Amino acid sequence: MVNEKATEPCVQNQLYRDVERVLISAEEIQDRVRGLGRQIDERYADKDLLLIAVLKGSVVFIADLMRAITIPHEVDFLATSSYGAYTASTGIVRILKDLNEPIAGRHALLVEDIIDSGHTLAYLTQLFRARNPASLEVVTLLDKPTRREVDIDLFWTGFSVPDEFVIGYGLDFNQKYRNLPYIGVLKSEVYQPGSE
Ligand code: IMP
Ligand code: MG
């Protein structure tokens, strides 16, 4: 008998086999992103809104979020890299690509994939505040509050997640898994070989 499930990518494809479990489904993400879009519409009505996405993890989120926002706005991109281990942030942030446009006098909204220790965002908000935007706030798809090492204020969260390594919907491990349509927990043996 043909197993219908065998045609689904989850059993065919290594990408899906490395997922321990689905934490947030594609539908749940879409619902939440629409909700955030409505809040942003209200908060920034009649304001000069600039969305700033931190590459690369935030690209999937910003692509959906900007279409959930109905007020006119612009987008800009910033690329950072933190030195150190794959799954832990070191707090040392390097700007690989700065913004194209000045943000002075504009309402800047930083779009992040996940706030973990908070070091990346603490650094970026300090950097951008010095450029005198009219306002600076943060919207993050995911938050791992139990991992926080520095306080971050003025941020909106899509979902709080437990202290596990998550992938998908833009988030990577070793640059892979960004194209998973949901947020999943990565099997620990993938990043800790021999831990099975
Ligand atoms: P922070 O500086 O510790 O807050 O780290 C933030 C960055 O670390 C995020 O923007 C991600 O790129 C990465 N990161 C932290 N936790 C995870 C995770 O569970 N999965 C994938 N990337 C993560
Ligand atoms: Mg990131």
Side-chain angles (χ1 to χ4, degrees):
M1 201 176 106
V2 177
N3 178 0
E4 283 179 23
K5 287 242 158 86
T7 59
E8 290 179 7
C10 54
V11 285
Q12 284 189 334
N13 184 324
Q14 184 67 46
L15 208 64
Y16 289 77
R17 280 202 301 264
D18 287 347
V19 177
E20 178 77 46
R21 67 182 196 282
V22 176
L23 208 55
I24 308 165
S25 71
E27 291 74 22
E28 287 174 295
I29 296 172
Q30 293 309 320
D31 279 356
R32 189 70 187 108
V33 171
R34 271 194 293 273
L36 288 169
R38 281 194 295 271
Q39 282 179 264
I40 292 168
D41 275 348
E42 283 173 26
R43 164 76 179 86
Y44 294 97
D46 304 317
K47 299 218 165 71
D48 180 18
L49 173 62
L50 176 68
L51 297 183
I52 299 172
V54 185
L55 296 171
K56 305 172 194 168
S58 309
V59 288
V60 180
F61 180 35
I62 196 176
D64 284 342
L65 184 67
M66 64 186 288
R67 287 175 292 177
I69 297 171
T70 63
I71 59 168
H73 64 276
E74 295 178 25
V75 294
D76 205 347
F77 296 91
L78 174 97
T80 63
S81 113
S82 57
Y83 296 99
Y86 291 125
T87 57
S89 180
T90 55
I92 304 166
V93 179
R94 194 160 55 111
I95 303 289
L96 299 178
K97 181 214 165 294
D98 205 337
L99 299 176
N100 288 0
E101 303 293 333
I103 60 169
R106 311 192 66 187
H107 291 271
L109 180 59
L110 255 170
V111 180
E112 256 288 23
D113 53 355
I114 186 166
I115 308 179
D116 189 41
S117 70
H119 284 295
T120 308
L121 215 50
Y123 177 85
L124 291 179
T125 49
Q126 189 190 19
L127 179 83
F128 289 148
R129 279 214 177 92
R131 298 181 184 183
N132 298 314
S135 70
L136 178 65
E137 292 182 8
V138 177
V139 56
T140 183
L141 179 70
L142 305 177
D143 181 24
K144 271 190 203 171
T146 54
R147 300 255 309 167
R148 195 75 83 258
E149 290 172 16
V150 285
D151 277 343
I152 303 291
D153 52 1
L154 289 176
F155 73 91
W156 305 347
T157 305
F159 303 91
S160 282
V161 291
D163 182 10
E164 289 180 283
F165 198 80
V166 293
I167 45 164
Y169 197 73
L171 287 107
D172 73 306
F173 169 67
N174 227 354
Q175 299 302 324
K176 299 287 196 313
Y177 308 100
R178 296 189 196 275
N179 57 324
L180 290 173
Y182 49 68
I183 300 289
V185 175
L186 184 65
K187 285 183 178 166
S188 59
E189 62 259 34
V190 178
Y191 58 90
Q192 292 170 338
S195 71
E196 290 145 82

